[in-house]
Amino acid sequence: DNKTDGILVTSLVRAKFSELLAERVGFKGRESELFMMGMFSLIDVFIGRPLKDIMAELPISEEIKSALLGEYNDFGRIYHLVLFYERAQWEAFMTCAASLGIEEKHIPDDYKKAVAWADEVCSL
């Protein structure tokens, strides 16, 4: 249904956007972990169970789990950056980008690439 499609598209955008940010934040080689973080970011909505319960059952890194559960670790800062950009919370976005050492000028292109990729995947 449309709700499920929207959740999937948002998860895919978050996944690709996070992956694209990896090199910008000094996490080259960890792109797949950041992609996974984005993919699982809405799993609770998709499945209809509490996120904490789902995270306890998944065999993924503690960095990903804790980031998705709201901790502000290295992955958590990237996750928050993605959310701030997605929600147009520009002041919080700029503060978070500065804390990660990201030049803001590159972010719109990365986000456009993520959206285009997600649209392409969903149209297959």
Side-chain angles (χ1 to χ4, degrees):
D1 62 11
N2 288 340
K3 181 181 175 186
T4 303
D5 290 347
I7 294 167
L8 176 61
V9 170
T10 301
S11 295
L12 287 169
V13 170
R14 288 178 180 181
K16 190 65 173 179
F17 191 33
S18 297
E19 176 186 61
L20 291 170
L21 292 171
E23 189 169 348
R24 297 197 189 285
V25 298
F27 284 171
K28 188 170 176 65
R30 300 190 75 188
E31 294 89 350
S32 62
E33 292 174 85
L34 290 171
F35 184 91
M36 187 181 307
M37 179 180 70
M39 279 304 300
F40 285 128
S41 67
L42 291 169
I43 196 168
D44 57 327
V45 177
F46 196 76
I47 293 177
R49 290 183 49 215
L51 186 59
K52 188 173 184 175
D53 295 348
I54 297 167
M55 290 295 113
E57 297 174 10
L58 288 176
I60 58 177
S61 76
E62 288 302 317
E63 277 182 303
I64 294 172
K65 289 178 183 182
S66 60
L68 293 176
L69 291 171
E71 287 187 32
Y72 218 67
N73 58 17
D74 288 340
F75 276 32
R77 288 196 330 249
I78 296 165
Y79 179 57
H80 280 89
L81 181 80
V82 168
L83 295 179
F84 294 147
Y85 194 85
E86 177 182 279
R87 297 171 182 166
Q89 295 174 323
W90 303 124
E91 190 173 318
F93 165 76
M94 289 185 291
T95 300
C96 191
S99 78
L100 288 164
I102 295 177
E103 291 184 50
E104 297 167 27
K105 66 182 180 183
H106 300 292
I107 303 299
D109 285 338
D110 287 346
Y111 191 76
K112 286 178 197 173
K113 287 177 189 174
V115 170
W117 179 83
D119 285 344
E120 183 179 330
V121 168
C122 289
S123 68
L124 296 177

